[in-house]
């Protein structure tokens, strides 16, 4: 059930939390976590909030103590501490649709911690074996990175592929999960 009515309070609540990969902006609706954004310094934060404002037609409200955000904040802290390997959070999928949503849902449910999948393999899993490039576009548009683990999607030849948070961030996440070695310095 969506909380988009005036009786439900703010439509989108957000906060910025520190993480091992830098500040993350988390946003949630009454349906669940709707957005995770990397490098949430002022310029990025402002752009993310503008996208949310445009999409939901209301002003996002900064709410660091929000019950909507409490579990995502705890879950991400536990993930970065190496104590959580799966996310069972309520997710609001309204920022994605169609093929992208199908790919992201498959990624969230079918590619566990400590594993990777190729772009083409993920495309085949959702019935579009020729859709590797479209999977790449879905990864680039993922509104819920880390929680919906687009960092686990790699090239078939072993290359890292792209990553919206930057390749160093992707390396850090894959090292955290034991897929790549931890950097020496």
């Amino acid at each position: 059930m969506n909380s988009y009515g005036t009786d439900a309070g703010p439509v989108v609540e957000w906060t910025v939390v520190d993480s091992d990969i830098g500040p993350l902006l988390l946003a949630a609706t009454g349906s669940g976590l709707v957005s995770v954004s990397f490098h949430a310094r002022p310029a990025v934060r402002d752009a993310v909030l503008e996208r949310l404002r445009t999409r939901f037609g209301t002003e996002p409200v900064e709410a660091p103590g929000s019950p909507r955000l409490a579990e995502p904040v705890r879950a991400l802290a536990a993930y970065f501490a190496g104590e959580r390997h799966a996310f069972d959070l309520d997710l609001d999928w309204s920022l994605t649709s169609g093929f992208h949503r199908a790919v992201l849902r498959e990624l969230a449910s079918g590619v566990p911690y400590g594993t990777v999948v190729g772009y083409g393999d993920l495309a085949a899993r959702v019935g579009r074996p020729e859709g590797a490039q479209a999977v790449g576009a879905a990864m680039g548009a993922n509104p819920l990175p880390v929680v919906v683990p687009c960092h686990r999607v790699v090239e078939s030849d072993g290359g890292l592929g792209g990553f919206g948070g930057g390749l160093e961030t992707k390396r850090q996440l894959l090292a955290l999960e034991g897929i790549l070695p931890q950097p020496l310095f």
Side-chain angles (χ1 to χ4, degrees):
M1 180 160 128
N2 291 329
S3 64
Y4 302 145
T6 55
D7 297 336
V11 170
V12 180
E13 295 176 334
W14 66 275
T15 193
V16 173
V17 297
D18 288 326
S19 79
D20 291 355
I21 57 171
L24 299 173
L25 186 148
L26 309 179
T29 67
S31 297
L33 187 66
V34 72
S35 179
V36 175
S37 301
F38 296 114
H39 315 298
R41 291 172 186 85
V44 169
R45 183 196 64 220
D46 293 347
V48 169
L49 294 176
E50 180 57 31
R51 275 196 312 272
L52 293 169
R53 185 179 302 114
T54 298
R55 172 60 180 88
F56 291 102
T58 190
E59 187 65 34
V61 174
E62 187 173 11
S66 164
R68 291 180 184 177
L69 293 165
E71 186 53 28
V73 168
R74 278 192 297 273
L76 282 162
Y79 170 80
F80 286 109
E83 300 164 357
R84 178 182 283 257
H85 295 169
F87 294 98
D88 56 356
L89 301 169
D90 290 332
L91 301 178
D92 180 335
W93 293 96
S94 63
L95 295 179
T96 186
S97 61
F99 178 75
H100 285 196
R101 185 182 290 184
V103 167
L104 293 172
R105 284 181 179 262
E106 173 59 30
L107 177 63
S109 65
V111 184
Y113 185 96
T115 66
V116 293
V117 65
Y119 292 93
D121 292 336
L122 191 53
R125 288 186 189 189
V126 295
R128 294 255 318 266
E130 76 292 346
Q133 286 185 317
V135 166
M139 297 303 101
N142 180 5
L144 295 161
V146 181
V147 175
V148 176
C150 52
H151 60 277
R152 295 181 191 150
V153 182
V154 298
E155 295 175 345
S156 60
D157 66 2
L160 287 180
F163 193 64
L167 287 182
E168 184 54 34
T169 300
K170 187 171 187 170
R171 280 188 196 92
Q172 287 178 284
L173 292 168
L174 292 173
L176 172 70
E177 296 188 14
I179 296 165
L180 292 177
Q182 289 288 345
L184 296 175
F185 47 88

